[in-house]
Amino acid sequence: MVKINGQEFDCAGQSISKMLEEQGYNAPKVAVEVNFSIVPKANFEEYILKDGDSVEVVHFVGGG
Amino acid sequence: MDNEELKIKMIKSLEERVGPDIQKKFLNARVAICGLGGLGSNVAISLARAGVGYLHIIDFDEVDISNLNRQQYFPEQLGMKKTEALSDTLRRIAPYTTVKAECVKINDENAAILLKDVDIICEAFDDAVNKAMLVEQVLVHFPEKYIVSGSGMAGFGSANLIKTTRRLGKLYVCGDNESDVNDDIGLISSRVMACAAHEANMILRLILGETEC
């Protein structure tokens, strides 16, 4: 299981890109941290989530 | 009263309100404001009024008539670079603040170079993709710096929905996290200012070493 924003999901083995898609996030508008370390967008495709990982996804909306 | 004398008097007056220790921290603080629209122009003015000593303000845009409903510009500044217009306003409000203004579009190639000179970064862009880009750049390149971001302040929803939360280590997000300007709900001065005030307040707290929201 992988913890995403505090909730557990069965997405070990998935890339960050795939996980974001399944969770309904728009990848260019998020910042992602795995186990308290920021993952640059350039690595979303290749970064594979492991059992026990803790992921934080922050999504941004427009306006300022 | 000449300018130097006025600066000394203004700083003294600030010290009398919050005490010399706090005021010294504000005066020694170095903050960058990325984007000088409804969020950034209001954050800059709040920080300058509080006595922040160094502001690095960055935007590539010019003052447009559509900005005047919520951004801190004047009709006579239409067509001016926002960096020039806001520098002028900040100088009038807070002659003790050093303002470094750069008219440039921040991207993933120049962000790490532009933001070397500060300790705290205020993300105040309009576009969600740019917000995410800047947050990533700061967290990747500057693990020691704080970034305070604004997300979700469009429309006429309750101001009570706007809050500050700590995310991703040194990232703080201010806003309701939902109301998107792209949903055609507009941006109104009071709600944008509420969000900007959250950002400015968190920045002042961080300057004082307070990391709780």
Side-chain angles (χ1 to χ4, degrees), chain B residues 34 41-42 77 85 101 114 135 138 143 146 162 171 184:
Chain B
C34 302
S41 61
N42 279 299
Q77 294 175 322
L114 286 168
V135 165
V138 170
Y146 288 98
I162 291 174
L171 166 68
D184 280 337

Side-chain angles (χ1 to χ4, degrees), chain B residues 67 145 150 185:
Chain B
N67 302 150
K145 298 185 185 192
I185 48 178

Side-chain angles (χ1 to χ4, degrees), chain B residues 192-209:
Chain B
V192 176
M193 286 171 87
C195 188
H198 267 262
E199 289 197 83
N201 201 62
M202 193 64 233
I203 290 166
L204 293 175
R205 285 175 58 73
L206 288 169
I207 292 168
L208 299 179

Side-chain angles (χ1 to χ4, degrees), chain A residues 5 27-33 36 38-42 44 56-64, chain B residues 38-39 70 125-126 128-129 131-132 135-136 139-140 149 151-153 167-168 177-181:
Chain A
N5 292 351
K29 296 183 180 177
V30 301
V32 175
E33 206 176 59
F36 304 105
I38 185 88
V39 181
K41 262 176 211 60
F44 282 2
E56 282 289 323
V57 182
V58 179
H59 82 283
F60 294 92
V61 294
Chain B
L39 292 175
R70 68 190 189 283
F125 292 148
D126 190 44
V129 174
K131 288 174 184 288
V135 165
E136 177 183 306
L139 296 179
V140 167
S149 176
S151 179
M153 78 303 294
R167 308 290 305 271
L168 309 189
N177 295 303
E178 281 180 11
S179 53
D180 192 328
V181 72

Side-chain angles (χ1 to χ4, degrees), chain B residues 4-22:
Chain B
E4 279 311 307
E5 198 182 338
L6 180 64
K7 275 194 224 178
I8 292 163
K9 281 198 166 180
M10 288 181 84
I11 290 169
K12 181 104 183 105
S13 166
L14 288 167
E15 281 175 359
E16 280 166 8
R17 285 184 179 269
V18 295
D21 292 347
I22 286 177

Side-chain angles (χ1 to χ4, degrees), chain B:
Chain B
M1 198 173 353
D2 71 18
N3 208 31
E4 279 311 307
E5 198 182 338
L6 180 64
K7 275 194 224 178
I8 292 163
K9 281 198 166 180
M10 288 181 84
I11 290 169
K12 181 104 183 105
S13 166
L14 288 167
E15 281 175 359
E16 280 166 8
R17 285 184 179 269
V18 295
D21 292 347
I22 286 177
Q23 203 53 50
K24 196 173 172 203
K25 287 180 182 170
F26 288 162
L27 207 55
N28 288 334
R30 303 174 69 84
V31 180
I33 300 170
C34 302
L36 304 178
L39 292 175
S41 61
N42 279 299
V43 170
I45 286 174
S46 284
L47 297 181
R49 286 202 190 278
V52 170
Y54 180 85
L55 293 175
H56 186 173
I57 60 172
I58 310 169
D59 198 303
F60 67 96
D61 216 352
E62 292 170 356
V63 179
D64 182 81
I65 199 161
S66 66
N67 302 150
L68 299 178
N69 76 326
R70 68 190 189 283
Q71 306 186 15
Q72 295 294 345
Y73 301 104
F74 302 97
E76 64 266 28
Q77 294 175 322
L78 289 173
M80 273 175 86
K81 287 174 180 170
K82 286 185 177 178
T83 42
E84 275 178 31
L86 189 61
S87 294
D88 187 48
T89 302
L90 291 171
R91 185 182 47 75
R92 291 168 65 197
I93 289 174
Y96 46 77
T97 298
T98 300
V99 177
K100 180 179 178 185
E102 276 189 297
C103 185
V104 59
K105 190 166 169 61
I106 302 178
N107 57 42
D108 56 6
E109 287 176 3
N110 64 15
I113 301 161
L114 286 168
L115 301 173
K116 273 185 188 160
D117 61 339
V118 297
D119 305 309
I120 302 173
I121 292 127
C122 172
E123 179 283 306
F125 292 148
D126 190 44
D127 178 75
V129 174
N130 286 332
K131 288 174 184 288
M133 177 277 296
L134 184 65
V135 165
E136 177 183 306
Q137 288 299 310
V138 170
L139 296 179
V140 167
H141 293 286
F142 302 114
E144 76 287 4
K145 298 185 185 192
Y146 288 98
I147 177 161
V148 180
S149 176
S151 179
M153 78 303 294
F156 293 89
S158 170
N160 289 344
L161 298 173
I162 291 174
K163 56 187 189 297
T164 303
T165 46
R166 186 172 187 177
R167 308 290 305 271
L168 309 189
K170 291 192 167 173
L171 166 68
Y172 293 80
V173 181
C174 305
D176 65 21
N177 295 303
E178 281 180 11
S179 53
D180 192 328
V181 72
N182 297 316
D183 294 336
D184 280 337
I185 48 178
L187 285 164
I188 192 76
S189 59
S190 48
R191 210 158 188 271
V192 176
M193 286 171 87
C195 188
H198 267 262
E199 289 197 83
N201 201 62
M202 193 64 233
I203 290 166
L204 293 175
R205 285 175 58 73
L206 288 169
I207 292 168
L208 299 179
E210 299 286 345
T211 55
E212 295 295 315
C213 294

